[in-house]
Each structure stands twice: as structure tokens, then as C-alpha cells.
Amino acid sequence: MNPRLHLDGLVTALRSWSWAELAAIDEAQQVRDVRQLGAKRPGDAVRLSALLESAGVLPEAQFITLHAAADDFHASVPLLAVRERAVVIYQLDGAPLAKSAGGPFRFFIPDHAACQTHEIDDCANVKFVDRIELSRERGRDNRPHDEAEHARLHANE
Ligand SMILES: Nc1nc2c(c(=O)[nH]1)N[C@H]1C(S)=C(S)[C@@H](COP(=O)(O)O)O[C@H]1N2
Ligand SMILES: [Mo]
């Protein structure tokens, strides 16, 4: 199995990347050890802006939706809030990011808020992301709405 991260929706060109293709992106777009961005766990990432640039974002794009088919989890946030700061974590110690760490691809927003305190929260750090979608309106979002739902989600981990 060679998982790919797909980028689609309001872009000039549909794009997708394998672990090896992400690893081959310019060093200037790489973040070595995301703990420097405040992540709790180690790992290397590539800047979201590099992926967006390579696909070409259409001017109508207002929302970015992170889709995880693996557990049917989805989060949709305003593009402007994450465009220049979010990253995609894809490897640890030179190997693809393990599922136990949210891999093969994990979205990470530095300076995110605690779950349920803000739209840009820890819940939006979607694990197992396989598709990133740009849209005019808010996309699919099934993040928990209240603390009970949130606790149930964590109980499944
Ligand atoms: N695919 C997916 N991503 C997810 C979740 C989830 O249930 N599924 N939970 C979110 C929530 S509520 C939190 S707090 C963090 C937890 O990340 P951690 O397991 O690395 O601590 O992942 C977020 N991303
Ligand atoms: Mo959470």
C-alpha cells in the first residue's frame, strides 16, 4: 500500500503526493521536527502553503476541509486562518508517520486552541488525512459539538 494525500476542489490542478514525494519537496518548505511549532510529538512536516502553491488556489476558495476516510472524521475551517501556518506531518525518523501517531498524513495547526474553545482547535488537527479540499462554502465538518461528544471521541482512541 502506498498512501497518497490528495488536494482537490477549487484548485487549478488536482494534485496528490506520496510520502516519498512529500519528502522530496524543497528543504525551504520542510519543517524538521514539528515540536519547534509546539507539537507534542516529534515528526517532520511540509508547509501547507507549498502544497497549495503547487496546486494553485483559485481566488473563490474560502474554506479548507480536512478529510480522514479512515475513521470518517472531517474538519472544515476558514482557509485564511491556516493558509500560511498549517503543516502536514508525514514522517518520523525518515520513515512514513505511523498510524498510531495519526499517520500516514496528519494536519497540524500551530497555536491551535483547546478543543471546543475556538474554530481553530486541536480537533482540527486531523489525523489520517487523505484528502484536502478547497471550497467556497464550509465543507464537511463532524468535529464534536459538546464535551460529551468530545469525550466519546477520545474514549475511542
Ligand atoms: N481523524 C481524526 N483526527 C482527529 C481526531 C479523530 O478522532 N479522528 N480527534 C481530534 C481531537 S478531538 C484531538 S484532541 C486530537 C488528538 O490528537 P492526539 O491523538 O495526537 O493527541 O486529534 C484530532 N484529530
Ligand atoms: Mo480533543
Side-chain angles (χ1 to χ4, degrees), residues 40-41 68 70-74 100-102 106 115 122-129 144 150 153-154 157:
K40 284 173 294 188
R41 293 186 284 184
D71 64 348
D72 193 27
F73 190 82
H74 313 263
S100 57
R106 183 188 192 151
C115 290
D122 201 6
C123 299
N125 287 332
V126 178
K127 303 184 269 193
F128 335 120
V129 184
H150 183 230
L153 187 65
H154 279 279
E157 280 173 354

PDB file of all heavy atoms in Angstrom, residues 40-41 68 70-74 100-102 106 115 122-129 144 150 153-154 157, ligand 1:
ATOM      1  N   LYS A  40       3.174  18.226  20.294  1.00  0.00           N
ATOM      2  CA  LYS A  40       3.567  17.455  21.473  1.00  0.00           C
ATOM      3  C   LYS A  40       4.536  16.341  21.103  1.00  0.00           C
ATOM      4  O   LYS A  40       5.361  15.933  21.904  1.00  0.00           O
ATOM      5  CB  LYS A  40       2.319  16.816  22.120  1.00  0.00           C
ATOM      6  CG  LYS A  40       1.483  17.816  22.912  1.00  0.00           C
ATOM      7  CD  LYS A  40       0.181  17.166  23.375  1.00  0.00           C
ATOM      8  CE  LYS A  40      -0.695  16.827  22.178  1.00  0.00           C
ATOM      9  NZ  LYS A  40      -2.038  16.380  22.482  1.00  0.00           N
ATOM     10  N   ARG A  41       4.373  15.824  19.897  1.00  0.00           N
ATOM     11  CA  ARG A  41       5.178  14.673  19.495  1.00  0.00           C
ATOM     12  C   ARG A  41       6.081  15.034  18.316  1.00  0.00           C
ATOM     13  O   ARG A  41       5.750  15.914  17.516  1.00  0.00           O
ATOM     14  CB  ARG A  41       4.264  13.510  19.130  1.00  0.00           C
ATOM     15  CG  ARG A  41       3.533  12.995  20.373  1.00  0.00           C
ATOM     16  CD  ARG A  41       2.739  11.763  20.090  1.00  0.00           C
ATOM     17  NE  ARG A  41       1.514  12.074  19.371  1.00  0.00           N
ATOM     18  CZ  ARG A  41       0.593  11.165  19.062  1.00  0.00           C
ATOM     19  NH1 ARG A  41       0.783   9.907  19.369  1.00  0.00           N
ATOM     20  NH2 ARG A  41      -0.507  11.515  18.429  1.00  0.00           N
ATOM     21  N   ALA A  68     -10.609  12.619   6.668  1.00  0.00           N
ATOM     22  CA  ALA A  68      -9.955  11.371   7.062  1.00  0.00           C
ATOM     23  C   ALA A  68     -10.937  10.234   6.839  1.00  0.00           C
ATOM     24  O   ALA A  68     -11.839  10.008   7.654  1.00  0.00           O
ATOM     25  CB  ALA A  68      -9.528  11.417   8.522  1.00  0.00           C
ATOM     26  N   ALA A  70     -10.310   7.147   6.983  1.00  0.00           N
ATOM     27  CA  ALA A  70     -10.003   6.027   7.889  1.00  0.00           C
ATOM     28  C   ALA A  70     -11.002   5.915   9.031  1.00  0.00           C
ATOM     29  O   ALA A  70     -11.455   4.825   9.361  1.00  0.00           O
ATOM     30  CB  ALA A  70      -8.587   6.167   8.432  1.00  0.00           C
ATOM     31  N   ASP A  71     -11.366   7.055   9.636  1.00  0.00           N
ATOM     32  CA  ASP A  71     -12.346   6.992  10.727  1.00  0.00           C
ATOM     33  C   ASP A  71     -13.515   7.946  10.479  1.00  0.00           C
ATOM     34  O   ASP A  71     -14.237   8.293  11.413  1.00  0.00           O
ATOM     35  CB  ASP A  71     -11.686   7.231  12.094  1.00  0.00           C
ATOM     36  CG  ASP A  71     -11.099   8.628  12.235  1.00  0.00           C
ATOM     37  OD1 ASP A  71     -10.985   9.346  11.210  1.00  0.00           O
ATOM     38  OD2 ASP A  71     -10.760   9.019  13.363  1.00  0.00           O
ATOM     39  N   ASP A  72     -13.666   8.372   9.215  1.00  0.00           N
ATOM     40  CA  ASP A  72     -14.779   9.229   8.821  1.00  0.00           C
ATOM     41  C   ASP A  72     -14.827  10.499   9.681  1.00  0.00           C
ATOM     42  O   ASP A  72     -15.876  10.881  10.201  1.00  0.00           O
ATOM     43  CB  ASP A  72     -16.096   8.449   8.921  1.00  0.00           C
ATOM     44  CG  ASP A  72     -17.243   9.173   8.235  1.00  0.00           C
ATOM     45  OD1 ASP A  72     -16.980   9.947   7.303  1.00  0.00           O
ATOM     46  OD2 ASP A  72     -18.406   8.966   8.652  1.00  0.00           O
ATOM     47  N   PHE A  73     -13.678  11.148   9.818  1.00  0.00           N
ATOM     48  CA  PHE A  73     -13.580  12.378  10.605  1.00  0.00           C
ATOM     49  C   PHE A  73     -13.257  13.509   9.639  1.00  0.00           C
ATOM     50  O   PHE A  73     -12.430  13.352   8.739  1.00  0.00           O
ATOM     51  CB  PHE A  73     -12.462  12.221  11.647  1.00  0.00           C
ATOM     52  CG  PHE A  73     -12.415  13.328  12.668  1.00  0.00           C
ATOM     53  CD1 PHE A  73     -13.255  13.315  13.774  1.00  0.00           C
ATOM     54  CD2 PHE A  73     -11.501  14.374  12.543  1.00  0.00           C
ATOM     55  CE1 PHE A  73     -13.197  14.317  14.729  1.00  0.00           C
ATOM     56  CE2 PHE A  73     -11.440  15.382  13.493  1.00  0.00           C
ATOM     57  CZ  PHE A  73     -12.281  15.355  14.593  1.00  0.00           C
ATOM     58  N   HIS A  74     -13.927  14.648   9.827  1.00  0.00           N
ATOM     59  CA  HIS A  74     -13.772  15.759   8.886  1.00  0.00           C
ATOM     60  C   HIS A  74     -13.814  17.083   9.635  1.00  0.00           C
ATOM     61  O   HIS A  74     -14.610  17.248  10.563  1.00  0.00           O
ATOM     62  CB  HIS A  74     -14.896  15.750   7.844  1.00  0.00           C
ATOM     63  CG  HIS A  74     -15.137  14.396   7.251  1.00  0.00           C
ATOM     64  ND1 HIS A  74     -14.596  13.994   6.059  1.00  0.00           N
ATOM     65  CD2 HIS A  74     -15.835  13.334   7.726  1.00  0.00           C
ATOM     66  CE1 HIS A  74     -14.950  12.734   5.804  1.00  0.00           C
ATOM     67  NE2 HIS A  74     -15.712  12.319   6.805  1.00  0.00           N
ATOM     68  N   SER A 100      -0.384   5.128  14.539  1.00  0.00           N
ATOM     69  CA  SER A 100      -0.515   5.432  15.973  1.00  0.00           C
ATOM     70  C   SER A 100      -0.192   6.900  16.268  1.00  0.00           C
ATOM     71  O   SER A 100      -0.592   7.427  17.304  1.00  0.00           O
ATOM     72  CB  SER A 100       0.410   4.528  16.777  1.00  0.00           C
ATOM     73  OG  SER A 100       1.743   4.682  16.323  1.00  0.00           O
ATOM     74  N   ALA A 101       0.507   7.560  15.354  1.00  0.00           N
ATOM     75  CA  ALA A 101       0.837   8.978  15.522  1.00  0.00           C
ATOM     76  C   ALA A 101      -0.058   9.848  14.642  1.00  0.00           C
ATOM     77  O   ALA A 101       0.190  11.044  14.471  1.00  0.00           O
ATOM     78  CB  ALA A 101       2.311   9.215  15.191  1.00  0.00           C
ATOM     79  N   GLY A 102      -1.090   9.228  14.047  1.00  0.00           N
ATOM     80  CA  GLY A 102      -2.005   9.997  13.196  1.00  0.00           C
ATOM     81  C   GLY A 102      -1.647   9.921  11.728  1.00  0.00           C
ATOM     82  O   GLY A 102      -2.219  10.621  10.908  1.00  0.00           O
ATOM     83  N   ARG A 106      -0.819  13.817   8.731  1.00  0.00           N
ATOM     84  CA  ARG A 106      -1.565  14.489   9.786  1.00  0.00           C
ATOM     85  C   ARG A 106      -1.485  16.006   9.634  1.00  0.00           C
ATOM     86  O   ARG A 106      -0.412  16.571   9.486  1.00  0.00           O
ATOM     87  CB  ARG A 106      -0.977  14.124  11.144  1.00  0.00           C
ATOM     88  CG  ARG A 106      -1.803  14.764  12.210  1.00  0.00           C
ATOM     89  CD  ARG A 106      -1.279  14.676  13.589  1.00  0.00           C
ATOM     90  NE  ARG A 106      -2.397  15.094  14.412  1.00  0.00           N
ATOM     91  CZ  ARG A 106      -2.631  14.717  15.631  1.00  0.00           C
ATOM     92  NH1 ARG A 106      -1.800  13.923  16.232  1.00  0.00           N
ATOM     93  NH2 ARG A 106      -3.685  15.149  16.280  1.00  0.00           N
ATOM     94  N   CYS A 115      -9.707  22.053  22.318  1.00  0.00           N
ATOM     95  CA  CYS A 115     -10.928  21.598  21.654  1.00  0.00           C
ATOM     96  C   CYS A 115     -12.129  22.371  22.181  1.00  0.00           C
ATOM     97  O   CYS A 115     -12.271  22.575  23.379  1.00  0.00           O
ATOM     98  CB  CYS A 115     -11.126  20.101  21.863  1.00  0.00           C
ATOM     99  SG  CYS A 115      -9.918  19.118  20.970  1.00  0.00           S
ATOM    100  N   ASP A 122      -7.775  21.962  18.567  1.00  0.00           N
ATOM    101  CA  ASP A 122      -6.991  20.726  18.457  1.00  0.00           C
ATOM    102  C   ASP A 122      -7.741  19.677  17.644  1.00  0.00           C
ATOM    103  O   ASP A 122      -7.138  18.826  17.001  1.00  0.00           O
ATOM    104  CB  ASP A 122      -6.670  20.199  19.869  1.00  0.00           C
ATOM    105  CG  ASP A 122      -5.469  19.263  19.885  1.00  0.00           C
ATOM    106  OD1 ASP A 122      -4.819  19.107  18.825  1.00  0.00           O
ATOM    107  OD2 ASP A 122      -5.176  18.697  20.945  1.00  0.00           O
ATOM    108  N   CYS A 123      -9.066  19.734  17.678  1.00  0.00           N
ATOM    109  CA  CYS A 123      -9.865  18.788  16.885  1.00  0.00           C
ATOM    110  C   CYS A 123      -9.594  18.949  15.387  1.00  0.00           C
ATOM    111  O   CYS A 123      -9.787  18.013  14.617  1.00  0.00           O
ATOM    112  CB  CYS A 123     -11.355  18.988  17.125  1.00  0.00           C
ATOM    113  SG  CYS A 123     -11.884  18.745  18.817  1.00  0.00           S
ATOM    114  N   ALA A 124      -9.176  20.160  14.973  1.00  0.00           N
ATOM    115  CA  ALA A 124      -8.916  20.395  13.549  1.00  0.00           C
ATOM    116  C   ALA A 124      -7.547  19.858  13.126  1.00  0.00           C
ATOM    117  O   ALA A 124      -7.202  19.897  11.946  1.00  0.00           O
ATOM    118  CB  ALA A 124      -9.025  21.886  13.240  1.00  0.00           C
ATOM    119  N   ASN A 125      -6.787  19.357  14.082  1.00  0.00           N
ATOM    120  CA  ASN A 125      -5.507  18.717  13.746  1.00  0.00           C
ATOM    121  C   ASN A 125      -5.797  17.287  13.322  1.00  0.00           C
ATOM    122  O   ASN A 125      -5.526  16.324  14.040  1.00  0.00           O
ATOM    123  CB  ASN A 125      -4.548  18.784  14.937  1.00  0.00           C
ATOM    124  CG  ASN A 125      -4.018  20.195  15.133  1.00  0.00           C
ATOM    125  OD1 ASN A 125      -3.916  20.965  14.177  1.00  0.00           O
ATOM    126  ND2 ASN A 125      -3.693  20.530  16.365  1.00  0.00           N
ATOM    127  N   VAL A 126      -6.384  17.182  12.155  1.00  0.00           N
ATOM    128  CA  VAL A 126      -6.953  15.911  11.703  1.00  0.00           C
ATOM    129  C   VAL A 126      -5.865  14.870  11.419  1.00  0.00           C
ATOM    130  O   VAL A 126      -4.908  15.141  10.697  1.00  0.00           O
ATOM    131  CB  VAL A 126      -7.845  16.130  10.464  1.00  0.00           C
ATOM    132  CG1 VAL A 126      -8.398  14.808   9.945  1.00  0.00           C
ATOM    133  CG2 VAL A 126      -8.987  17.084  10.799  1.00  0.00           C
ATOM    134  N   LYS A 127      -6.063  13.702  12.031  1.00  0.00           N
ATOM    135  CA  LYS A 127      -5.164  12.573  11.815  1.00  0.00           C
ATOM    136  C   LYS A 127      -5.639  11.781  10.612  1.00  0.00           C
ATOM    137  O   LYS A 127      -6.796  11.858  10.239  1.00  0.00           O
ATOM    138  CB  LYS A 127      -5.170  11.660  13.057  1.00  0.00           C
ATOM    139  CG  LYS A 127      -4.795  12.402  14.340  1.00  0.00           C
ATOM    140  CD  LYS A 127      -4.712  11.472  15.532  1.00  0.00           C
ATOM    141  CE  LYS A 127      -6.044  11.368  16.250  1.00  0.00           C
ATOM    142  NZ  LYS A 127      -5.888  10.722  17.587  1.00  0.00           N
ATOM    143  N   PHE A 128      -4.777  10.985  10.049  1.00  0.00           N
ATOM    144  CA  PHE A 128      -5.081  10.097   8.902  1.00  0.00           C
ATOM    145  C   PHE A 128      -5.701  10.861   7.728  1.00  0.00           C
ATOM    146  O   PHE A 128      -6.562  10.331   7.021  1.00  0.00           O
ATOM    147  CB  PHE A 128      -6.046   8.953   9.288  1.00  0.00           C
ATOM    148  CG  PHE A 128      -6.057   8.564  10.744  1.00  0.00           C
ATOM    149  CD1 PHE A 128      -7.220   8.648  11.513  1.00  0.00           C
ATOM    150  CD2 PHE A 128      -4.899   8.102  11.364  1.00  0.00           C
ATOM    151  CE1 PHE A 128      -7.239   8.283  12.851  1.00  0.00           C
ATOM    152  CE2 PHE A 128      -4.913   7.736  12.708  1.00  0.00           C
ATOM    153  CZ  PHE A 128      -6.083   7.830  13.454  1.00  0.00           C
ATOM    154  N   VAL A 129      -5.291  12.101   7.516  1.00  0.00           N
ATOM    155  CA  VAL A 129      -5.878  12.895   6.413  1.00  0.00           C
ATOM    156  C   VAL A 129      -5.512  12.254   5.082  1.00  0.00           C
ATOM    157  O   VAL A 129      -4.335  11.980   4.832  1.00  0.00           O
ATOM    158  CB  VAL A 129      -5.313  14.333   6.374  1.00  0.00           C
ATOM    159  CG1 VAL A 129      -6.013  15.148   5.301  1.00  0.00           C
ATOM    160  CG2 VAL A 129      -5.454  15.005   7.698  1.00  0.00           C
ATOM    161  N   PRO A 144     -16.705  17.150  17.214  1.00  0.00           N
ATOM    162  CA  PRO A 144     -17.705  17.095  18.287  1.00  0.00           C
ATOM    163  C   PRO A 144     -18.259  18.480  18.629  1.00  0.00           C
ATOM    164  O   PRO A 144     -17.540  19.468  18.583  1.00  0.00           O
ATOM    165  CB  PRO A 144     -16.934  16.503  19.463  1.00  0.00           C
ATOM    166  CG  PRO A 144     -15.494  16.574  19.098  1.00  0.00           C
ATOM    167  CD  PRO A 144     -15.395  16.630  17.624  1.00  0.00           C
ATOM    168  N   HIS A 150     -17.250  14.997  22.598  1.00  0.00           N
ATOM    169  CA  HIS A 150     -15.795  15.058  22.538  1.00  0.00           C
ATOM    170  C   HIS A 150     -15.176  13.950  23.398  1.00  0.00           C
ATOM    171  O   HIS A 150     -14.240  13.271  22.980  1.00  0.00           O
ATOM    172  CB  HIS A 150     -15.330  16.448  23.001  1.00  0.00           C
ATOM    173  CG  HIS A 150     -13.849  16.643  22.924  1.00  0.00           C
ATOM    174  ND1 HIS A 150     -13.117  17.131  23.974  1.00  0.00           N
ATOM    175  CD2 HIS A 150     -12.979  16.408  21.940  1.00  0.00           C
ATOM    176  CE1 HIS A 150     -11.848  17.189  23.616  1.00  0.00           C
ATOM    177  NE2 HIS A 150     -11.723  16.765  22.385  1.00  0.00           N
ATOM    178  N   LEU A 153     -15.425  10.657  21.669  1.00  0.00           N
ATOM    179  CA  LEU A 153     -14.429  10.549  20.598  1.00  0.00           C
ATOM    180  C   LEU A 153     -13.091  10.097  21.182  1.00  0.00           C
ATOM    181  O   LEU A 153     -12.435   9.200  20.661  1.00  0.00           O
ATOM    182  CB  LEU A 153     -14.281  11.913  19.921  1.00  0.00           C
ATOM    183  CG  LEU A 153     -13.411  12.013  18.674  1.00  0.00           C
ATOM    184  CD1 LEU A 153     -14.013  11.212  17.539  1.00  0.00           C
ATOM    185  CD2 LEU A 153     -13.277  13.475  18.274  1.00  0.00           C
ATOM    186  N   HIS A 154     -12.715  10.716  22.300  1.00  0.00           N
ATOM    187  CA  HIS A 154     -11.432  10.359  22.921  1.00  0.00           C
ATOM    188  C   HIS A 154     -11.473   8.961  23.534  1.00  0.00           C
ATOM    189  O   HIS A 154     -10.453   8.287  23.594  1.00  0.00           O
ATOM    190  CB  HIS A 154     -11.041  11.405  23.968  1.00  0.00           C
ATOM    191  CG  HIS A 154     -10.412  12.613  23.351  1.00  0.00           C
ATOM    192  ND1 HIS A 154      -9.078  12.649  22.990  1.00  0.00           N
ATOM    193  CD2 HIS A 154     -10.924  13.805  22.986  1.00  0.00           C
ATOM    194  CE1 HIS A 154      -8.803  13.832  22.445  1.00  0.00           C
ATOM    195  NE2 HIS A 154      -9.908  14.553  22.427  1.00  0.00           N
ATOM    196  N   GLU A 157     -10.190   6.254  21.218  1.00  0.00           N
ATOM    197  CA  GLU A 157      -8.785   6.283  20.782  1.00  0.00           C
ATOM    198  C   GLU A 157      -8.011   5.044  21.246  1.00  0.00           C
ATOM    199  O   GLU A 157      -8.278   4.508  22.306  1.00  0.00           O
ATOM    200  CB  GLU A 157      -8.078   7.540  21.287  1.00  0.00           C
ATOM    201  CG  GLU A 157      -8.394   8.746  20.445  1.00  0.00           C
ATOM    202  CD  GLU A 157      -7.844  10.044  21.022  1.00  0.00           C
ATOM    203  OE1 GLU A 157      -7.309  10.033  22.143  1.00  0.00           O
ATOM    204  OE2 GLU A 157      -7.974  11.068  20.346  1.00  0.00           O
TER     205      GLU A 157
HETATM  206  N1  LIG B   1      -9.026  11.517  12.078  1.00  0.00           N
HETATM  207  C1  LIG B   1      -9.150  12.042  13.308  1.00  0.00           C
HETATM  208  N2  LIG B   1      -8.442  13.132  13.654  1.00  0.00           N
HETATM  209  C2  LIG B   1      -8.551  13.683  14.877  1.00  0.00           C
HETATM  210  C3  LIG B   1      -9.448  13.144  15.840  1.00  0.00           C
HETATM  211  C4  LIG B   1     -10.198  11.996  15.466  1.00  0.00           C
HETATM  212  O1  LIG B   1     -10.993  11.427  16.245  1.00  0.00           O
HETATM  213  N3  LIG B   1     -10.011  11.472  14.190  1.00  0.00           N
HETATM  214  N4  LIG B   1      -9.584  13.738  17.085  1.00  0.00           N
HETATM  215  C5  LIG B   1      -9.144  15.144  17.209  1.00  0.00           C
HETATM  216  C6  LIG B   1      -9.049  15.566  18.596  1.00  0.00           C
HETATM  217  S1  LIG B   1     -10.503  15.878  19.401  1.00  0.00           S
HETATM  218  C7  LIG B   1      -7.837  15.763  19.221  1.00  0.00           C
HETATM  219  S2  LIG B   1      -7.712  16.402  20.792  1.00  0.00           S
HETATM  220  C8  LIG B   1      -6.572  15.378  18.549  1.00  0.00           C
HETATM  221  C9  LIG B   1      -5.833  14.376  19.399  1.00  0.00           C
HETATM  222  O2  LIG B   1      -4.601  14.142  18.852  1.00  0.00           O
HETATM  223  P1  LIG B   1      -3.594  13.132  19.547  1.00  0.00           P
HETATM  224  O3  LIG B   1      -4.187  11.754  19.419  1.00  0.00           O
HETATM  225  O4  LIG B   1      -2.322  13.254  18.791  1.00  0.00           O
HETATM  226  O5  LIG B   1      -3.451  13.550  20.974  1.00  0.00           O
HETATM  227  O6  LIG B   1      -6.763  14.819  17.248  1.00  0.00           O
HETATM  228  C10 LIG B   1      -7.817  15.392  16.499  1.00  0.00           C
HETATM  229  N5  LIG B   1      -7.811  14.776  15.183  1.00  0.00           N
END
